[in-house]
Amino acid sequence: MDALRRSGLLDTPPDAAFDRLVRLVCCLLRVPVALVSLVDADRQFLKATVGLPEPWASRREMPLTHSFCQHVVVSGARFVVEDARVHPVVRDNRAVAELG
């Protein structure tokens, strides 16, 4: 968390480089949504997004109840979810129902 705070990226405005990165991810992986998210103790700050519905795209943050990234933070390991609707760890996550 200290490194995240020292990065100075939390609560910063959109950045063209990060925006290009998420567009590239969508293109290369052929996915409708890509995010650069930073997870602190209370929330997930969205530094860049593509394909995220409103109001989340404009808010640029989500509560941890909507975060899949929290599982990576806790475990320190890669976390692959092919279909969130059926994945046992995240299928009940509020983002699945609210964001589709």
Side-chain angles (χ1 to χ4, degrees):
M1 292 298 171
D2 289 336
L4 176 59
R5 281 188 280 282
R6 284 193 310 270
S7 75
L9 291 172
L10 287 173
D11 300 314
T12 56
D15 180 293
F18 286 99
D19 293 340
R20 282 191 305 273
L21 176 64
V22 291
R23 286 193 308 271
L24 180 62
V25 167
C26 282
C27 182
L28 291 175
L29 299 180
R30 297 185 179 126
V31 295
V33 176
L35 313 169
V36 173
S37 60
L38 306 167
V39 179
D40 70 11
D42 304 311
R43 66 188 170 132
Q44 175 175 258
F45 173 68
L46 305 174
K47 181 62 182 165
T49 69
V50 167
L52 201 60
E54 292 296 342
W56 308 109
S58 296
R59 286 185 187 163
R60 299 187 56 235
E61 70 176 54
M62 292 183 185
L64 288 179
T65 56
H66 289 63
S67 174
F68 290 12
C69 300
Q70 64 182 319
H71 302 291
V72 176
V73 172
V74 170
S75 71
R78 180 177 61 163
F79 182 58
V80 177
V81 177
E82 292 189 21
D83 187 340
R85 297 168 300 176
V86 296
H87 193 284
V89 175
V90 296
R91 68 179 169 223
D92 296 325
N93 183 294
R94 290 177 55 189
V96 175
E98 292 179 25
L99 303 176

